[in-house]
Amino acid sequence: MTLTGNLLIGRQSLRGTHGTLHAIDAATGTELEPAFGGATPQQLDHACALAWQAFDPYRETAPGRRADFLEAIAANILALGDALVDRCVAESGLPRARIEGERGRTVGQLRLFANMLRQGDFLELRVDPAQPERKPLPRPDLRLRQIPLGPVAVFGASNFPLAFSVAGGDTASALAAGCPVIVKAHPAHPGTSELVGRAIRKAVDDLDLPEGTFSLLFDAGLEIGQGLVADRRIKAVGFTGSRAGGMALMAIAAARAEPIPVYAEMSSVNPVLLFPHALASRAEAIGTAFADSLTLGAGQFCTNPGLVLAVAGDNLDRFLQAASARLATLPAATMLTPGIHRAYCAGVASLAGHAQVQTVARGPAGSATQGQAALFATDAAAFLADPALRHEVFGAAALVVRCRDLAEMRGVIDALEGQLTAALHLDDADHDAARAFLPALERLAGRLLVNGFGTGVEVGHAMVHGGPWPATSDGRSTSVGSLAIARFLRPVCYQDMPAGLLPASLCPDSPQRHSWRVDGKLPGCAG
Amino acid sequence: MTLTGNLLIGRQSLRGTHGTLHAIDAATGTELEPAFGGATPQQLDHACALAWQAFDPYRETAPGRRADFLEAIAANILALGDALVDRCVAESGLPRARIEGERGRTVGQLRLFANMLRQGDFLELRVDPAQPERKPLPRPDLRLRQIPLGPVAVFGASNFPLAFSVAGGDTASALAAGCPVIVKAHPAHPGTSELVGRAIRKAVDDLDLPEGTFSLLFDAGLEIGQGLVADRRIKAVGFTGSRAGGMALMAIAAARAEPIPVYAEMSSVNPVLLFPHALASRAEAIGTAFADSLTLGAGQFCTNPGLVLAVAGDNLDRFLQAASARLATLPAATMLTPGIHRAYCAGVASLAGHAQVQTVARGPAGSATQGQAALFATDAAAFLADPALRHEVFGAAALVVRCRDLAEMRGVIDALEGQLTAALHLDDADHDAARAFLPALERLAGRLLVNGFGTGVEVGHAMVHGGPWPATSDGRSTSVGSLAIARFLRPVCYQDMPAGLLPASLCPDSPQRHSWRVDGKLPGCAG
């Protein structure tokens, strides 16, 4: 399984000739072989041309065939075995068990969408039968299905080298929808990207799918990623990363002759609300669990709990003591890249030096590439006075905001920008207090969770991993779970179309007929 | 039913003091009384503050109560009787029968959404039950519902003074979703707007809904409309109008600290494809029906058939002769506003003076405010050479493109921008030829219709009135039909939320339980 450092453009493994990039061993800071060649604008154009050619034939493959494709990708990823895990551990600095778990999640996501395709009801089929006798005018026959938007650009994420990169959630949902995908690999894990890209490539070949169904590009700078979003043949973008990066892609997409949707998952501090009775009864347990969640994966999760809100007092102090004690036992962990490590250290230093912020605890110090956990505290007045305190510090750092009372805590919530998650720790006796917060929290976040933390995002049908700006660029969407497919679909109506020309799913003898919504009514019993 | 010329801000009828505007009698060009006062920035701020206050309580009203509200609006509009019809005819220049028909459509839309609310399944509820025994980790309980985005700004449309204005499709779907609405009235029909606004206002009062559920603003310039889209408390925009207008609103929305979705329906020439066998067998019938559709409502429909594609030859000439003969019998009709009339005349003059365009027919001349129908022809090479020929001329003007063969016709389709509709006229013997066009047409338009024309948009569950850019700003949406509600909703996930804190629709004893999608499975038989 030798890495080539080549681009995958359609069926070809091609050397990029527009600069080079190397992976860095995250733990040691040394360069890893081989050199990866950056794509030229001509190679980008070639990949886009192939994706466009593939779009019409690929989108009309039977859903069952696309399900086979996704399952073949999953099998091919597993077949890479330790070669994939070893390379991914080296490039990301993440522990082996985490990478194995993430591989399981990646494979699980692909299979979830495969199951959904076999079930067939993601098409949201609707049929309003003709009423030729209606007065004053007959009603035409109207049939609606969802079709894919077109080729999708996916940007690999630094913090999920498998589950949100080459064959991650964006790719899986786009391929399931019927969209060809061009991945711009994250420069921090090009070797992992090549291996996974080849797993996809093999599945394309084995299932004899259109050549341009998938391509993988490396970018030695920013030009290829930007050019990908600007290309007229690309019709949507999936991105997980920084706010600045997401906004740059949004600006490019909005400035096109044909603007396109960008699904960017950008930043979130994921407020954790500790309600008084829960804090009184379980401060130590919550504090310990909080420290575990904060440091998971060196804190490099979009759903990392970066902000804690509670009423000041002895019980909050108990929480802080327990969290501090736990943090002291959790070793520093290697961060994904030197750049992320530098940004984390700068963010921590900024909080530590803030006149209104107290350093409550630090985790054990580590090596020069490891992130040392940090727990800070301030009060609500200071938090509200300085918007800089609301910014995400990507890594295992959190800020606890001491509030005078629940009313002030509510004021802090109202001052926050959109979030991926909000966690509520509560006992039965807290229900009335919590209920008063729910409307504001629903407006704030895509997921509200009780007596837990946002890390560990379940991949299911009812999951939302999204949220109002700036958590994501489009708060109407989720990037995790089966509903993620909706991002890449648009409705088309067929009016008075003869059966011989209708898409198979809308024909009178359609196998998906059981899932039709007829005259607006949900499908129900056959009888 | 005396018109006041006042703004409706929450419960108050307030005089706008920021300039004035008058309606113009479309047929005579004379000013109509009274003067309408334009809103000040302070009045705009007041309306937004009320809408924001109303959002949380309004969105949690029971769906059945919102259904009552929509039905009360419908009843109140009908109760306005001839006063509304008279004023609307005067302001729009549209025939009485058309306005009565449009009133029926407006009322029908409100009732469609009311029925949908009573049915309850628009919430797209999803439940993934907990699996406490799952290994290696238990699965949490996940429940998903859709919640409304927030207060919505609706811009009244010139060409649908009832069905796409104050209580039109955008307002009905936003109110149904649970969003308060602030309407910026179209300056061409302020009197109609005031009357309908008062009908909504009365329903808000009678049902004791939050004061800010609805407000109506007049704008003596552009400042208030722009300020409305820029206001931080507005979370989505509905607009039907020009491409320039829609793009201006999109730019404002994208530049906000929190960008918001704009649903703008902008421009479309709605290609009509005449296939050879249909043309051979029915050229005269199609030509006659085409002329009728072209001139309906003085051609002032978004779905007006402005472009006809066919293979050159005797049969196409028969079509042109029949269409010309019919046009000669259809009188010129008053256009909506002097500005629209001027733009129509300029567009027609530009086509008439184009070196590669022939004037095939003109309808009868009319008065100085009336639009004289116009039918032009060119060939595919000329059409492809000049992008200006692809632009919409809003009104009863169409361009027929003579193609050498079906391959050239396909080339013309590939050169078009996104469309609301594409119409195919075909006989059984045309099916193979038509089938080859379908992929391109699906990519091109939101609705494909056979042996008809796009005018007369059915309001149902399977309708799509939308399409790729620049037909609309967001091709993932429809502005007509029950699916229009999806524009104003976003998903929220509740994880391990105790029953006592769950929204009613997701509680174990929910009346909407029959519509839950459990573990991704569509609701089905109870047994």
Side-chain angles (χ1 to χ4, degrees):
Chain A
M1 192 60 69
T2 313
L3 291 172
T4 65
N6 283 358
L7 314 171
L8 298 175
I9 299 183
R11 294 207 196 291
Q12 296 182 281
S13 171
L14 289 172
R15 188 69 198 171
T17 55
H18 197 50
T20 57
L21 61 148
H22 278 85
I24 305 290
D25 186 307
T28 65
T30 57
E31 264 189 10
L32 292 168
E33 290 304 318
F36 289 79
T40 65
Q42 292 73 27
Q43 289 170 322
L44 167 63
D45 180 73
H46 184 199
C48 291
L50 287 175
W52 187 248
Q53 284 169 27
F55 177 42
D56 277 343
Y58 178 64
R59 72 185 173 96
E60 287 303 345
T61 51
R65 188 143 165 250
R66 294 209 294 285
D68 291 342
F69 175 41
L70 296 177
E71 287 168 350
I73 296 171
N76 293 347
I77 289 172
L78 291 177
L80 290 167
D82 281 347
L84 177 64
V85 177
D86 293 345
R87 180 77 189 190
C88 195
V89 167
E91 290 184 333
S92 70
L94 293 168
R96 190 166 193 92
R98 149 71 193 271
I99 292 301
E100 287 174 347
E102 189 179 326
R103 179 178 61 178
R105 175 174 162 169
T106 306
V107 165
Q109 286 179 156
L110 290 160
R111 291 176 178 157
L112 175 81
F113 285 106
N115 289 340
M116 194 183 178
L117 286 166
R118 293 198 202 287
Q119 201 169 299
D121 55 15
F122 73 99
L123 295 163
E124 303 286 354
L125 304 171
R126 292 166 172 240
V127 174
D128 295 347
Q131 295 176 350
E133 312 299 329
R134 192 184 65 173
K135 302 292 175 194
L137 290 171
R139 186 172 85 168
D141 181 90
L142 297 173
R143 289 163 195 258
L144 181 152
R145 70 165 176 165
Q146 302 282 340
I147 72 166
L149 293 179
V152 171
V154 171
F155 286 74
S158 64
N159 63 335
F160 278 99
L162 297 173
F164 267 84
S165 287
V166 180
D170 288 336
T171 297
S173 53
L175 290 176
C179 300
V181 168
I182 300 177
V183 173
K184 202 287 283 175
H186 196 282
H189 51 261
T192 304
S193 297
E194 182 187 332
L195 292 172
V196 175
R198 280 154 57 176
I200 301 178
R201 180 73 257 151
K202 181 173 187 315
V204 172
D205 290 342
D206 288 350
L207 284 149
D208 198 25
L209 291 167
E211 176 175 8
T213 301
F214 173 77
S215 289
L216 172 67
L217 302 177
F218 299 103
D219 186 1
L222 299 174
E223 185 185 352
I224 294 303
Q226 292 171 350
L228 182 61
V229 175
D231 192 280
R232 70 190 185 285
R233 293 158 295 198
I234 295 297
K235 302 299 184 185
V237 178
F239 170 87
T240 298
S242 71
R243 185 161 170 176
M247 289 180 71
L249 299 187
M250 288 176 72
I252 294 169
R256 290 166 47 123
E258 177 196 7
I260 57 171
V262 173
Y263 300 102
E265 197 258 85
M266 297 185 289
S267 70
S268 186
V269 295
N270 302 297
V272 175
L273 290 75
L274 307 178
F275 283 90
H277 291 277
L279 204 51
S281 67
R282 304 183 274 124
E284 288 77 13
I286 300 172
T288 303
F290 162 74
D292 289 346
S293 174
L294 178 67
T295 53
L296 199 66
Q300 301 165 123
F301 286 110
C302 319
T303 52
N304 193 57
L307 181 69
V308 178
L309 309 178
V311 175
D314 292 347
N315 293 329
L316 178 56
D317 293 341
R318 286 167 51 212
F319 166 88
L320 290 170
Q321 283 157 18
S324 302
R326 182 67 164 194
L327 281 183
T329 71
L330 298 166
T334 301
M335 296 196 75
L336 292 159
T337 71
I340 287 173
H341 182 259
R342 274 194 302 276
Y344 174 72
C345 293
V348 165
S350 169
L351 284 170
H354 194 289
Q356 306 297 318
V357 172
Q358 304 87 50
T359 300
V360 175
R362 296 298 306 261
S367 74
T369 60
Q370 293 185 316
Q372 184 186 3
L375 183 59
F376 299 99
T378 189
D379 60 44
F383 184 81
L384 291 169
D386 186 355
L389 293 179
R390 298 169 213 170
H391 293 166
E392 181 182 14
V393 175
F394 189 70
L399 178 61
V400 177
V401 177
R402 292 187 166 96
C403 303
R404 227 177 15 246
D405 51 26
L406 288 173
E408 190 175 56
M409 191 159 129
R410 171 60 196 273
V412 172
I413 288 292
D414 287 342
L416 295 179
E417 294 183 299
Q419 302 289 332
L420 293 170
T421 70
L424 302 88
H425 289 263
L426 48 84
D427 282 356
D428 287 354
D430 292 310
H431 279 200
D432 286 345
R435 194 174 290 113
F437 275 77
L438 288 177
L441 294 176
E442 288 175 333
R443 285 191 269 102
L444 184 70
R447 177 164 56 117
L448 311 186
L449 59 142
V450 171
N451 293 334
F453 296 94
T455 48
V457 182
E458 182 72 29
V459 179
H461 304 282
M463 174 52 67
V464 176
H465 188 69
W469 175 273
T472 71
S473 57
D474 187 337
R476 296 162 294 175
S477 65
T478 174
S479 62
V480 173
S482 62
L483 196 54
I485 198 172
R487 298 177 299 167
F488 301 118
L489 296 168
R490 50 172 275 258
V492 172
C493 170
Y494 304 84
Q495 178 173 325
D496 289 336
M497 183 80 70
L501 293 176
L502 279 170
S505 57
L506 289 171
C507 278
D509 58 354
S510 162
Q512 278 107 25
R513 188 174 177 142
H514 69 279
S515 72
W516 289 359
R517 190 183 280 254
V518 178
D519 274 331
K521 303 231 169 24
L522 277 175
C525 300
Chain B
M1 193 61 70
T2 313
L3 291 171
T4 64
N6 283 358
L7 314 171
L8 298 174
I9 300 183
R11 294 205 196 293
Q12 294 182 283
S13 170
L14 289 172
R15 188 70 198 171
T17 55
H18 196 49
T20 58
L21 62 148
H22 278 84
I24 306 289
D25 186 305
T28 65
T30 56
E31 263 189 10
L32 292 168
E33 291 302 321
F36 289 79
T40 64
Q42 293 73 27
Q43 289 170 322
L44 166 63
D45 180 72
H46 185 197
C48 291
L50 287 175
W52 187 249
Q53 284 169 28
F55 177 43
D56 278 343
Y58 178 64
R59 72 184 174 96
E60 288 301 346
T61 52
R65 187 142 167 251
R66 294 210 293 284
D68 291 343
F69 176 40
L70 295 177
E71 287 168 350
I73 296 171
N76 293 348
I77 288 172
L78 291 176
L80 291 166
D82 282 346
L84 177 64
V85 177
D86 293 345
R87 179 77 190 191
C88 194
V89 166
E91 290 184 332
S92 69
L94 294 168
R96 190 166 194 91
R98 149 72 194 269
I99 294 300
E100 288 173 347
E102 190 179 326
R103 179 178 59 179
R105 174 172 162 170
T106 306
V107 165
Q109 286 179 155
L110 289 159
R111 291 176 178 157
L112 175 80
F113 285 106
N115 289 340
M116 193 183 179
L117 285 167
R118 292 198 203 287
Q119 201 170 297
D121 54 16
F122 73 99
L123 296 163
E124 304 285 354
L125 305 172
R126 292 167 171 238
V127 174
D128 296 347
Q131 295 176 350
E133 312 300 327
R134 193 183 66 172
K135 303 290 174 195
L137 290 172
R139 185 171 86 168
D141 182 90
L142 297 173
R143 291 162 193 257
L144 182 152
R145 69 165 177 167
Q146 302 283 340
I147 73 166
L149 293 179
V152 171
V154 171
F155 286 74
S158 65
N159 63 336
F160 278 100
L162 298 173
F164 267 85
S165 286
V166 179
D170 288 337
T171 298
S173 53
L175 290 176
C179 300
V181 168
I182 300 177
V183 173
K184 202 287 284 176
H186 196 282
H189 51 261
T192 303
S193 298
E194 182 187 333
L195 291 172
V196 175
R198 279 154 56 178
I200 300 177
R201 180 73 256 151
K202 182 172 186 315
V204 172
D205 289 343
D206 288 351
L207 283 147
D208 198 23
L209 291 168
E211 176 174 7
T213 301
F214 174 77
S215 287
L216 172 67
L217 302 177
F218 299 104
D219 186 0
L222 299 174
E223 184 186 351
I224 294 304
Q226 293 172 348
L228 182 59
V229 175
D231 192 278
R232 71 189 185 284
R233 293 157 295 197
I234 296 296
K235 301 299 184 185
V237 178
F239 170 86
T240 299
S242 71
R243 185 159 169 177
M247 288 179 70
L249 299 187
M250 287 176 74
I252 294 168
R256 290 166 48 124
E258 177 195 7
I260 57 171
V262 174
Y263 300 102
E265 198 259 83
M266 297 185 289
S267 69
S268 186
V269 295
N270 303 296
V272 175
L273 290 75
L274 307 178
F275 283 90
H277 291 277
L279 204 52
S281 67
R282 304 182 274 124
E284 289 78 11
I286 299 171
T288 303
F290 163 73
D292 288 346
S293 174
L294 179 66
T295 53
L296 198 69
Q300 302 165 123
F301 286 110
C302 319
T303 52
N304 192 56
L307 181 69
V308 178
L309 309 178
V311 176
D314 292 348
N315 293 330
L316 179 55
D317 292 341
R318 286 167 52 210
F319 166 86
L320 290 170
Q321 283 157 17
S324 301
R326 182 67 163 194
L327 280 183
T329 71
L330 297 167
T334 301
M335 295 196 75
L336 291 159
T337 71
I340 287 173
H341 183 259
R342 274 194 302 277
Y344 175 72
C345 293
V348 166
S350 169
L351 284 169
H354 194 288
Q356 306 297 318
V357 172
Q358 304 88 48
T359 301
V360 175
R362 296 298 305 264
S367 74
T369 59
Q370 293 185 316
Q372 184 188 0
L375 184 59
F376 299 100
T378 190
D379 60 44
F383 184 80
L384 291 170
D386 186 356
L389 293 178
R390 298 168 214 171
H391 293 167
E392 180 181 16
V393 176
F394 189 70
L399 178 61
V400 177
V401 177
R402 291 185 166 98
C403 303
R404 230 177 13 247
D405 51 25
L406 289 172
E408 190 175 57
M409 192 159 128
R410 170 60 196 272
V412 172
I413 288 293
D414 286 342
L416 296 177
E417 295 183 299
Q419 302 290 332
L420 292 171
T421 70
L424 303 88
H425 289 264
L426 48 84
D427 281 357
D428 287 354
D430 293 309
H431 279 200
D432 286 345
R435 193 174 290 112
F437 275 77
L438 287 178
L441 293 175
E442 288 174 332
R443 284 191 269 102
L444 185 70
R447 177 164 55 117
L448 311 186
L449 58 142
V450 171
N451 293 333
F453 297 94
T455 48
V457 182
E458 182 71 29
V459 179
H461 304 282
M463 174 52 67
V464 176
H465 187 70
W469 174 273
T472 71
S473 57
D474 188 337
R476 296 162 294 175
S477 65
T478 175
S479 63
V480 173
S482 61
L483 197 55
I485 197 172
R487 298 177 297 167
F488 302 118
L489 296 169
R490 50 172 275 259
V492 173
C493 169
Y494 303 84
Q495 178 173 326
D496 289 335
M497 182 80 70
L501 292 176
L502 278 169
S505 57
L506 289 172
C507 279
D509 58 353
S510 163
Q512 279 106 27
R513 188 174 176 142
H514 68 280
S515 71
W516 289 359
R517 190 183 281 254
V518 178
D519 274 331
K521 303 229 169 22
L522 276 176
C525 300

